[in-house]
Amino acid sequence: MAENTTRTTYTVESLLAVTVEVFNERGYDGTSMEDLSKAAGISKSSIYHHVRGKEELLRLAVGRALDGLFTILDEPAARSGRPVDRLEHVVRRTAEVLLEELPYVTLLLRVRGNTPTEQWALERRREFDHQVAELLRAAVAEGELRSDVEPRLATRLLFGMINSIVEWYRPGVRAQDGIAEAVVHLAFDGLRAPTA
Amino acid sequence: MAENTTRTTYTVESLLAVTVEVFNERGYDGTSMEDLSKAAGISKSSIYHHVRGKEELLRLAVGRALDGLFTILDEPAARSGRPVDRLEHVVRRTAEVLLEELPYVTLLLRVRGNTPTEQWALERRREFDHQVAELLRAAVAEGELRSDVEPRLATRLLFGMINSIVEWYRPGVRAQDGIAEAVVHLAFDGLRAPTA
């Protein structure tokens, strides 16, 4: 009885939380509606009550990660000020959103496939990267960032560093406070101690 | 006939080159000896003439990547001098080895599993990371690197940046010359332009 009560409280959001864990563990292609039904402890028809199917769940899950990322670009600190400060804000917030929405961003970063939803997610990710690269270019043009590293390459290495956090970060294992700050330090000022 | 001639020229090295591509494409678990036989264009018994099986091929492939990485630590520039200079050498050379041995390092970075060979590869990777972290700690202790980023976190972000290169770098698409240098610039001095 208790279990049934739990079952009826499922919302799209709680279903999504389970789904994204299963997708990350088994891969999107390797996950069946049966797997999701088992993991959520509800029948397939109950899932279909909420969504049309697996691909809609993927769209909602990566959509959540993408919304988190694109929201950053609309924040006041990302929209006005010196390009270098705007970029610094975006880098810090990107790391923070990754940590806050870890399973969703992890899923987004693993999207590889050929379904329309996966194509759309890849396209949106490229658009985000592109906007950050433009900000980086603007900061180089202003002389705020060094010009001896190609902006496209710098953007790739920057995102490589940020995105790699999903490989080792586990919530609760360590406070996430220092991570975004460390990313900013390393990205903008490097590891070398300032010469006195 | 021509094909047969080609077949007889297979060496462990050329078999390994085919194997590593298949492992990277299908995953180690998802690859059968049948797949390898088809990809290499030789019979399974010919493969068994060279190696005992799939796991030995994995050991040889990740071993090649690991040998490349550990050799760096024995190079003179990694063994003597200021810790910061030794670390800089190791970071540059790690990026270079990754680019030179791209498919082998890619495979190494994807190892996750539970076979003894996979466990051994993970163990060796950790040992390499550990030795680099020690070098980083030594450079912080000497005051050559900033002390406000925790060494373990700094090492993770550093390798995150370097290892992410396998996600986008394709040989021939762009010269690899600038990449290792860009990694060193970003890691040690950051993106910010030096203030005049």
Side-chain angles (χ1 to χ4, degrees):
Chain A
M1 280 295 261
E3 208 179 343
N4 268 322
T5 314
T6 313
R7 284 175 185 179
T8 57
T9 63
Y10 255 96
T11 61
V12 171
E13 179 145 11
S14 56
L15 179 58
L16 217 51
V18 174
T19 298
V20 76
E21 297 294 345
V22 181
F23 283 168
N24 281 334
E25 200 181 304
R26 307 177 61 99
Y28 174 67
D29 289 335
T31 302
S32 65
M33 286 299 279
E34 186 67 30
D35 295 327
L36 295 178
S37 158
K38 276 186 194 157
I42 57 175
S43 67
K44 277 196 270 185
S45 64
S46 298
I47 297 180
Y48 285 117
H49 174 74
H50 291 293
V51 293
R52 265 165 301 173
K54 201 174 81 158
E55 192 163 349
E56 186 173 348
L57 285 165
L58 180 69
R59 189 179 59 71
L60 291 168
V62 297
R64 176 161 160 169
L66 288 163
D67 286 350
L69 293 172
F70 276 96
T71 298
I72 296 169
L73 301 177
D74 286 331
E75 290 168 353
R79 294 177 59 89
S80 64
R82 296 195 311 159
V84 66
D85 296 329
R86 294 165 61 199
L87 182 67
E88 188 174 317
H89 176 80
V90 170
V91 168
R92 178 181 292 105
R93 293 286 296 127
T94 298
E96 285 172 358
V97 166
L98 178 144
L99 293 164
E100 287 157 13
E101 304 285 358
L102 189 72
Y104 298 92
V105 176
T106 302
L107 182 65
L108 175 67
L109 295 176
R110 290 186 186 164
V111 162
R112 289 283 181 281
N114 293 306
T115 64
T117 296
E118 289 171 286
Q119 286 298 316
W120 163 79
L122 287 173
E123 185 61 39
R124 295 291 287 158
R125 247 194 86 184
R126 270 195 293 270
E127 175 57 27
F128 183 77
D129 292 4
H130 175 72
Q131 292 204 32
V132 178
E134 285 302 304
L135 208 44
L136 199 147
R137 261 185 207 98
V140 171
E142 294 288 326
E144 297 159 344
L145 294 187
R146 50 200 298 158
S147 56
D148 59 353
V149 176
E150 193 216 330
R152 190 170 148 80
L153 178 54
T155 309
R156 279 178 154 155
L157 294 174
L158 197 51
F159 279 115
M161 180 168 65
I162 297 172
N163 295 341
S164 71
I165 295 170
V166 306
E167 302 296 332
W168 55 265
Y169 178 71
R170 294 296 166 267
V173 174
R174 51 173 299 149
Q176 62 184 58
D177 285 356
I179 299 177
E181 220 36 53
V183 166
V184 169
H185 276 321
L186 212 156
F188 288 89
D189 300 308
L191 291 170
R192 207 184 303 276
T195 46
Chain B
M1 280 299 263
E3 209 178 344
N4 267 322
T5 315
T6 312
R7 284 173 184 181
T8 57
T9 63
Y10 255 95
T11 61
V12 171
E13 178 147 11
S14 56
L15 178 60
L16 216 51
V18 174
T19 297
V20 75
E21 297 293 345
V22 180
F23 283 167
N24 282 333
E25 200 181 304
R26 309 177 60 99
Y28 174 66
D29 289 335
T31 302
S32 65
M33 287 299 280
E34 186 66 32
D35 295 327
L36 296 178
S37 157
K38 275 186 193 156
I42 56 176
S43 67
K44 278 195 270 185
S45 63
S46 299
I47 298 181
Y48 285 116
H49 173 73
H50 291 294
V51 291
R52 265 165 302 172
K54 203 174 79 156
E55 192 163 347
E56 184 172 350
L57 284 165
L58 180 68
R59 191 178 59 71
L60 291 169
V62 297
R64 178 162 158 169
L66 288 163
D67 286 349
L69 292 172
F70 276 95
T71 297
I72 296 170
L73 301 178
D74 285 330
E75 290 168 355
R79 294 176 59 90
S80 64
R82 297 195 311 157
V84 67
D85 295 329
R86 293 164 61 198
L87 181 66
E88 187 174 317
H89 176 79
V90 169
V91 167
R92 178 182 292 105
R93 292 286 296 127
T94 298
E96 285 172 356
V97 166
L98 178 145
L99 293 163
E100 286 158 14
E101 303 285 358
L102 190 71
Y104 298 92
V105 177
T106 302
L107 182 65
L108 175 66
L109 295 176
R110 290 187 186 161
V111 163
R112 289 283 180 279
N114 293 305
T115 64
T117 296
E118 290 171 285
Q119 287 299 317
W120 164 79
L122 288 173
E123 186 61 38
R124 295 291 287 159
R125 248 194 86 185
R126 270 196 293 270
E127 174 57 28
F128 183 78
D129 291 5
H130 175 73
Q131 292 204 30
V132 177
E134 284 302 304
L135 208 44
L136 199 146
R137 261 186 207 100
V140 171
E142 293 289 326
E144 297 159 344
L145 293 187
R146 49 198 298 156
S147 55
D148 60 353
V149 176
E150 191 217 329
R152 191 169 148 81
L153 178 54
T155 308
R156 278 178 155 155
L157 294 174
L158 197 53
F159 278 116
M161 179 168 67
I162 296 173
N163 294 342
S164 71
I165 296 170
V166 306
E167 302 296 332
W168 55 265
Y169 178 71
R170 293 297 167 264
V173 173
R174 52 174 299 150
Q176 62 184 59
D177 286 356
I179 298 176
E181 219 38 51
V183 166
V184 169
H185 276 322
L186 213 155
F188 288 88
D189 300 309
L191 290 170
R192 207 184 302 278
T195 46

